Amino acid sequence: MGFLGLFGIKKPPSSKELREMLPSLHSFVDVAVRNGPKGSVCFENAGIKTFVTSVLPGMSAGQQVNFLYSNSGGKYRFSASVRSVDDKQATFDLPGKIETIQRFGGARKRTTVRIDTTVAIQWRYGSTGKIESEWQKGVLSDISRNGSSLATEREIKSGNILELKIPLRQDGSAITVRADARRIDKIEGTSKYNVGLAFHPLKADDERAVIDFINRRQVDLRNRGLG
């Protein structure tokens, strides 16, 4: 124990230690703008003095924003000032300190934001060579960057690979993703099944479309007094 430790004074973390405590790249982070909106953003890049995220609707330069997130090392929170904002990204000053809420002892999966809403989609079994199945109708719910739940009248086996067209973009166009069927449950009293899906790695534009969709839905729910 160092001299400061004898008096209960903790040595402040080094710049390297602070950077290791930042969110993982391309992870989702819960944010709350002081006297403003709440939602989630994608942590996109970190430099020597600044870091960059996707934009939360209503975010502007000069605002103070609170961050809450988990990475492989633990659960953390900090406050940072918005330096600048454009149509797609917000740039922040790196925080002077990061508060540790909980430390993780071993490997831990990154948490992601989910939104409990429904979206009508089309899906089919993943193509094998030149063989492609017919597109079918389904409904997605509990949507996140990593996966979702699919309600469909077709019984799907665990381990099947599906291809999905999901209309998430603001202009109504769809992203196309592949997913593994992980959990199959019969919906009581109906002829439908609920399928837990794990998405394959998303393209950068598709990942952005997911988080933009989640943020728009969260804003809509708050505006209606439901979020």
Side-chain angles (χ1 to χ4, degrees), residues 79 94 107 114 156 164 173 188 195-196 198:
S79 180
L94 280 176
R114 290 178 177 266
I156 298 171
L164 304 96
S173 60
E188 291 187 17
V195 185

PDB file of all heavy atoms in Angstrom, residues 79 94 107 114 156 164 173 188 195-196 198:
ATOM      1  N   SER A  79     -19.451  11.305 -16.758  1.00  0.00           N
ATOM      2  CA  SER A  79     -20.103  12.443 -17.401  1.00  0.00           C
ATOM      3  C   SER A  79     -19.123  13.083 -18.366  1.00  0.00           C
ATOM      4  O   SER A  79     -17.922  13.166 -18.074  1.00  0.00           O
ATOM      5  CB  SER A  79     -20.561  13.452 -16.348  1.00  0.00           C
ATOM      6  OG  SER A  79     -21.188  14.561 -16.953  1.00  0.00           O
ATOM      7  N   LEU A  94     -12.891  13.648 -23.553  1.00  0.00           N
ATOM      8  CA  LEU A  94     -12.693  12.503 -22.675  1.00  0.00           C
ATOM      9  C   LEU A  94     -12.937  12.898 -21.222  1.00  0.00           C
ATOM     10  O   LEU A  94     -12.551  13.992 -20.801  1.00  0.00           O
ATOM     11  CB  LEU A  94     -11.275  11.962 -22.823  1.00  0.00           C
ATOM     12  CG  LEU A  94     -10.984  11.056 -24.019  1.00  0.00           C
ATOM     13  CD1 LEU A  94      -9.510  10.694 -24.044  1.00  0.00           C
ATOM     14  CD2 LEU A  94     -11.840   9.804 -23.982  1.00  0.00           C
ATOM     15  N   ALA A 107     -14.548 -13.403 -17.642  1.00  0.00           N
ATOM     16  CA  ALA A 107     -15.070 -12.948 -18.930  1.00  0.00           C
ATOM     17  C   ALA A 107     -16.566 -12.697 -18.802  1.00  0.00           C
ATOM     18  O   ALA A 107     -17.293 -13.438 -18.163  1.00  0.00           O
ATOM     19  CB  ALA A 107     -14.817 -14.008 -20.002  1.00  0.00           C
ATOM     20  N   ARG A 114     -32.092  -3.347 -25.725  1.00  0.00           N
ATOM     21  CA  ARG A 114     -33.175  -3.956 -26.488  1.00  0.00           C
ATOM     22  C   ARG A 114     -34.404  -3.064 -26.398  1.00  0.00           C
ATOM     23  O   ARG A 114     -34.592  -2.340 -25.437  1.00  0.00           O
ATOM     24  CB  ARG A 114     -33.527  -5.349 -25.946  1.00  0.00           C
ATOM     25  CG  ARG A 114     -32.456  -6.397 -26.209  1.00  0.00           C
ATOM     26  CD  ARG A 114     -32.842  -7.741 -25.602  1.00  0.00           C
ATOM     27  NE  ARG A 114     -31.855  -8.748 -25.916  1.00  0.00           N
ATOM     28  CZ  ARG A 114     -31.933  -9.571 -26.953  1.00  0.00           C
ATOM     29  NH1 ARG A 114     -32.959  -9.485 -27.764  1.00  0.00           N
ATOM     30  NH2 ARG A 114     -30.993 -10.451 -27.185  1.00  0.00           N
ATOM     31  N   ILE A 156     -39.729 -23.908 -36.740  1.00  0.00           N
ATOM     32  CA  ILE A 156     -38.315 -23.829 -37.097  1.00  0.00           C
ATOM     33  C   ILE A 156     -37.513 -24.637 -36.091  1.00  0.00           C
ATOM     34  O   ILE A 156     -37.816 -24.630 -34.897  1.00  0.00           O
ATOM     35  CB  ILE A 156     -37.848 -22.364 -37.106  1.00  0.00           C
ATOM     36  CG1 ILE A 156     -38.630 -21.573 -38.157  1.00  0.00           C
ATOM     37  CG2 ILE A 156     -36.346 -22.251 -37.365  1.00  0.00           C
ATOM     38  CD1 ILE A 156     -38.405 -20.076 -38.093  1.00  0.00           C
ATOM     39  N   LEU A 164     -33.226 -12.627 -42.918  1.00  0.00           N
ATOM     40  CA  LEU A 164     -34.361 -11.763 -42.604  1.00  0.00           C
ATOM     41  C   LEU A 164     -34.240 -10.412 -43.296  1.00  0.00           C
ATOM     42  O   LEU A 164     -33.144  -9.846 -43.377  1.00  0.00           O
ATOM     43  CB  LEU A 164     -34.460 -11.536 -41.086  1.00  0.00           C
ATOM     44  CG  LEU A 164     -34.552 -12.763 -40.196  1.00  0.00           C
ATOM     45  CD1 LEU A 164     -33.167 -13.125 -39.665  1.00  0.00           C
ATOM     46  CD2 LEU A 164     -35.483 -12.508 -39.023  1.00  0.00           C
ATOM     47  N   SER A 173     -36.919   1.436 -45.720  1.00  0.00           N
ATOM     48  CA  SER A 173     -36.183   0.366 -46.386  1.00  0.00           C
ATOM     49  C   SER A 173     -35.667  -0.639 -45.360  1.00  0.00           C
ATOM     50  O   SER A 173     -35.560  -0.348 -44.169  1.00  0.00           O
ATOM     51  CB  SER A 173     -35.017   0.926 -47.208  1.00  0.00           C
ATOM     52  OG  SER A 173     -34.109   1.620 -46.377  1.00  0.00           O
ATOM     53  N   GLU A 188     -48.896 -20.660 -26.754  1.00  0.00           N
ATOM     54  CA  GLU A 188     -50.118 -21.351 -26.331  1.00  0.00           C
ATOM     55  C   GLU A 188     -51.370 -20.709 -26.925  1.00  0.00           C
ATOM     56  O   GLU A 188     -51.494 -19.487 -27.010  1.00  0.00           O
ATOM     57  CB  GLU A 188     -50.217 -21.344 -24.802  1.00  0.00           C
ATOM     58  CG  GLU A 188     -49.169 -22.206 -24.113  1.00  0.00           C
ATOM     59  CD  GLU A 188     -49.406 -22.300 -22.622  1.00  0.00           C
ATOM     60  OE1 GLU A 188     -50.531 -21.972 -22.184  1.00  0.00           O
ATOM     61  OE2 GLU A 188     -48.479 -22.693 -21.902  1.00  0.00           O
ATOM     62  N   VAL A 195     -39.418 -17.762 -31.824  1.00  0.00           N
ATOM     63  CA  VAL A 195     -38.066 -18.237 -32.093  1.00  0.00           C
ATOM     64  C   VAL A 195     -37.055 -17.200 -31.612  1.00  0.00           C
ATOM     65  O   VAL A 195     -37.077 -16.048 -32.059  1.00  0.00           O
ATOM     66  CB  VAL A 195     -37.857 -18.484 -33.613  1.00  0.00           C
ATOM     67  CG1 VAL A 195     -36.474 -19.088 -33.864  1.00  0.00           C
ATOM     68  CG2 VAL A 195     -38.956 -19.389 -34.157  1.00  0.00           C
ATOM     69  N   GLY A 196     -36.189 -17.587 -30.695  1.00  0.00           N
ATOM     70  CA  GLY A 196     -35.121 -16.694 -30.266  1.00  0.00           C
ATOM     71  C   GLY A 196     -33.993 -16.706 -31.275  1.00  0.00           C
ATOM     72  O   GLY A 196     -33.468 -17.776 -31.621  1.00  0.00           O
ATOM     73  N   ALA A 198     -30.216 -15.247 -32.795  1.00  0.00           N
ATOM     74  CA  ALA A 198     -28.923 -14.596 -32.562  1.00  0.00           C
ATOM     75  C   ALA A 198     -28.389 -14.148 -33.912  1.00  0.00           C
ATOM     76  O   ALA A 198     -28.115 -14.984 -34.792  1.00  0.00           O
ATOM     77  CB  ALA A 198     -27.949 -15.552 -31.885  1.00  0.00           C
TER      78      ALA A 198
END
